[in-house]
C-alpha cells in the first residue's frame, strides 16, 4: 500500500494511490493518523485526485450494486407474481371443485331419495302382486270347492264320499288360511275380494257345514260300512266348528 525507508531520524513515506483497501477492516478510522502515517509527503493535488477517483469508483460500484440488486428484486417480484397467479389459479380450481362437490352431493342425495322411493314403490307393487296372486288362488279354490260340493250331492258311496270329503277339507283349510291373510293385510283393499270373494267364501262355509251335517245324519241311519266316513265327517265338523 505504501513504502518507506528510514534515514536515521524520520520515515520517508513514498507517495501511493489511495484505494478502498486503505479503509477496509478499520471500524475506528482516524483521518489525521491515516494521512500522517501514509501521505504526509503527498501533495494535496495528488490526494484530491486520488480521493476524487476513489469516490467515482465507489459511486459506480454502488450504482452497479443497486442495478444488480434491482434486477434481482425485479426477478423476485416476477417470480412472486407468477406464484400469485399460480395460487390464484389453484384457488379458482379449488372453488370450482368445491362447487362440483356440492352439486355432486346434492345429486347423490336426490338419487338416494329417488332410489328409496323406487324401492318403496317396488315393495308396494310386490305386496300388491302377491295379494293379487292370493286373491286369484282363493277365487280358484272357492270355485273348485263350490263345484265339488255340488257334485253327487246325494251320493253315499264310500268309494266316492271319502275322497270327496278329503278334497273338500283340504280346499276349505287352504281357502280359510288365504282368507285370513288377505283379511289381516293393512294395504288398500281389493274390491273383488271385499265385494265378491268374502261373501262367497262365507256362503260356502255355511253350505259345507250343512253338507257335513246332512251327510252325517244320513250315514248314521245305516252306519254299517261307514265307520271311516263317519270319522271323516266328525273331523270335518271339528274343523268348521260345528257341533255333532
Amino acid at each position: 500500500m505504501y513504502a518507506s525507508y528510514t534515514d536515521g531520524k524520520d520515515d520517508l513515506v513514498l507517495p501511493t494511490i489511495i484505494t478502498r483497501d486503505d479503509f477496509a477492516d478499520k471500524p475506528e478510522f482516524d483521518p489525521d493518523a491515516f494521512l500522517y502515517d501514509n501521505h504526509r509527503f503527498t501533495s494535496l493535488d495528488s490526494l484530491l485526485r486520488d480521493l476524487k477517483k476513489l469516490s467515482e469508483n465507489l459511486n459506480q460500484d454502488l450504482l452497479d450494486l443497486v442495478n444488480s440488486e434491482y434486477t434481482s428484486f425485479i426477478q423476485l417480484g416476477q417470480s412472486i407474481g407468477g406464484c400469485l397467479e399460480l395460487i390464484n389459479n389453484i384457488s379458482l380450481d379449488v372453488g370450482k371443485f368445491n362447487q362440483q362437490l356440492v352439486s355432486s352431493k346434492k345429486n347423490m342425495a336426490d338419487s338416494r331419495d329417488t332410489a328409496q322411493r323406487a324401492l318403496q314403490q317396488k315393495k308396494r307393487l310386490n305386496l300388491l302382486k302377491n295379494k293379487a296372486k292370493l286373491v286369484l288362488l282363493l277365487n280358484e279354490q272357492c270355485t273348485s270347492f263350490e263345484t265339488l260340493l255340488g257334485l253327487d250331492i246325494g251320493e253315499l258311496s264310500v268309494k266316492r264320499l271319502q275322497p270327496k270329503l278329503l278334497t273338500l277339507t283340504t280346499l276349505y283349510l287352504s281357502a280359510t288360511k288365504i282368507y285370513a291373510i288377505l283379511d289381516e293385510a293393512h294395504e288398500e283393499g281389493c274390491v273383488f275380494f271385499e265385494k265378491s270373494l268374502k261373501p262367497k267364501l262365507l256362503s260356502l262355509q255355511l253350505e259345507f257345514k250343512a253338507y257335513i251335517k246332512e251327510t252325517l245324519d244320513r250315514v248314521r241311519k245305516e252306519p254299517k260300512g261307514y265307520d271311516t266316513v263317519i270319522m271323516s265327517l266328525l273331523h270335518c265338523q271339528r274343523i268348521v266348528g260345528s257341533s255333532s
Side-chain angles (χ1 to χ4, degrees):
M1 183 181 298
Y2 60 87
S4 65
Y5 65 91
T6 304
D7 59 356
K9 294 182 179 180
D10 200 0
D11 293 334
L12 178 62
V13 181
L14 297 178
T16 59
I17 298 174
I18 300 176
T19 65
R20 69 179 65 187
D21 294 335
D22 294 334
F23 308 98
D25 299 328
K26 292 182 175 60
E28 296 180 359
F29 180 75
D30 186 354
D32 294 334
F34 171 75
L35 291 175
Y36 180 79
D37 292 339
N38 301 293
H39 299 283
R40 62 179 178 271
F41 298 110
T42 304
S43 65
L44 291 177
D45 292 338
S46 179
L47 286 174
L48 289 174
R49 285 194 302 272
D50 291 347
L51 291 173
K52 183 178 180 181
K53 185 176 181 180
L54 178 61
S55 176
E56 291 175 352
N57 291 336
L58 290 175
N59 287 335
Q60 184 62 43
D61 290 344
L62 179 61
L63 181 61
D64 293 341
L65 180 61
V66 170
N67 289 334
S68 175
E69 293 299 326
Y70 179 75
T71 302
S72 300
F73 177 76
I74 294 299
Q75 292 175 350
L76 177 62
Q78 291 175 347
S79 64
I80 293 176
C83 292
L84 292 176
E85 182 179 359
L86 179 61
I87 292 173
N88 184 56
N89 292 335
I90 294 175
S91 178
L92 291 176
D93 291 339
V94 171
K96 292 179 181 178
F97 177 75
N98 185 59
Q99 292 178 352
Q100 294 175 354
L101 184 61
V102 172
S103 178
S104 297
K105 286 183 177 179
K106 184 179 183 301
N107 292 335
M108 290 180 63
D110 294 341
S111 299
R112 182 179 62 251
D113 294 340
T114 301
Q116 289 178 349
R117 289 194 298 269
L119 289 175
Q120 291 175 355
Q121 183 67 11
K122 182 180 179 181
K123 181 179 179 181
R124 179 174 174 274
L125 291 176
N126 285 334
L127 291 175
L128 290 176
K129 179 181 178 181
N130 293 334
K131 186 174 183 179
K133 288 182 178 180
L134 290 176
V135 169
L136 292 175
L137 180 59
L138 179 59
N139 182 59
E140 291 177 1
Q141 291 184 352
C142 286
T143 301
S144 299
F145 187 89
E146 183 179 21
T147 302
L148 182 59
L149 188 61
L151 288 177
D152 302 326
I153 193 67
E155 177 64 51
L156 294 179
S157 170
V158 176
K159 185 177 181 180
R160 291 179 177 272
L161 191 57
Q162 187 67 24
K164 179 178 180 178
L165 288 174
L166 179 60
T167 304
L168 286 173
T169 303
T170 302
L171 288 172
Y172 176 85
L173 290 173
S174 178
T176 303
K177 181 63 176 178
I178 295 174
Y179 171 83
I181 294 174
L182 293 173
D183 195 48
E184 292 176 359
H186 298 291
E187 292 80 11
E188 58 187 41
C190 173
V191 176
F192 179 68
F193 172 73
E194 296 291 339
K195 301 297 183 180
S196 179
L197 285 182
K198 261 189 177 184
K200 184 176 182 179
L201 182 60
L202 294 175
S203 176
L204 290 175
Q205 287 176 341
L206 294 176
E207 291 181 20
F208 189 37
K209 290 179 182 180
Y211 172 77
I212 293 171
K213 185 178 184 305
E214 180 182 349
T215 305
L216 186 58
D217 291 341
R218 291 179 63 186
V219 297
R220 275 178 173 175
K221 292 179 181 179
E222 297 180 5
K224 185 178 180 180
Y226 286 103
D227 295 341
T228 304
V229 173
I230 292 174
M231 292 298 296
S232 297
L233 288 170
L234 292 174
H235 179 64
C236 290
Q237 276 189 335
R238 287 194 297 271
I239 291 175
V240 299
S242 300
S243 59
S244 57

